[in-house]
Amino acid sequence: MVKAKYQGVLDLGQQLNIQDGDVSEENGTLKIKGTAQTQYEKNQLWDKIKEIGGESPSDIVADINVADTSFYHKHVVKSGESLSKIAKHYYGDPMKYKAIFEANTGILKNPDVIHPDQELIIPNL
């Protein structure tokens, strides 16, 4: 029953390709574990858990590790995006575009010029 309640979390885990995933139900508590590629993906899972179960759900226990903690996420640029738009998406603050630019000076020469399909490192702040 609790598994059905959190099906959205399990579906998101599949979409994100969470590795070493394990799901079990014990005494009305759902236990999930696995490894997300990035901290951003782990945060997405926790946000979904809180969306369904509230801020401190008592019917789910999640043990989610992160495979690579050297950066927050990798982002593939889409048409129409800017560094400030990307910064707003990941950090909630468009002015943090400078951190993204600095983390990608190997491929970016100007913070105002990015191209679709470029893969950018989104750094930990």
Side-chain angles (χ1 to χ4, degrees):
M1 177 144 154
V2 73
K3 186 175 179 181
K5 175 181 175 181
Y6 288 101
Q7 189 59 49
V9 174
L10 303 177
D11 293 345
L12 179 58
Q14 282 191 313
Q15 286 175 4
L16 296 175
N17 197 25
I18 299 300
Q19 299 299 302
D20 306 318
D22 186 52
V23 178
S24 62
E25 198 171 335
E26 217 173 275
N27 300 321
T29 300
L30 186 66
K31 295 182 178 188
I32 61 173
K33 71 177 213 172
T35 302
Q37 278 300 114
T38 65
Q39 183 64 44
Y40 175 71
E41 290 178 355
K42 177 180 177 175
N43 290 355
Q44 284 185 297
L45 284 169
W46 277 110
D47 289 346
K48 191 68 169 175
I49 289 169
K50 291 175 186 176
E51 176 187 315
I52 294 169
E55 201 58 38
S56 298
S58 59
D59 56 353
I60 187 168
V61 175
D63 180 12
I64 304 164
N65 296 307
V66 175
D68 191 340
T69 58
S70 65
F71 56 90
Y72 187 61
H73 197 57
K74 287 186 179 178
H75 179 85
V76 177
V77 176
K78 296 173 200 67
S79 180
E81 287 186 318
S82 64
L83 287 184
S84 59
K85 184 177 180 181
I86 294 167
K88 181 161 178 51
H89 173 78
Y90 289 103
Y91 305 129
D93 182 352
M95 294 310 293
K96 297 208 171 166
Y97 77 89
K98 296 171 191 169
I100 298 172
F101 177 71
E102 290 299 321
N104 291 280
T105 55
I107 59 171
L108 300 178
K109 303 302 173 215
N110 180 333
D112 296 323
V113 180
I114 61 174
H115 303 284
D117 299 324
Q118 284 179 311
E119 185 176 70
L120 303 178
I121 296 292
I122 307 302
N124 293 312
L125 293 183

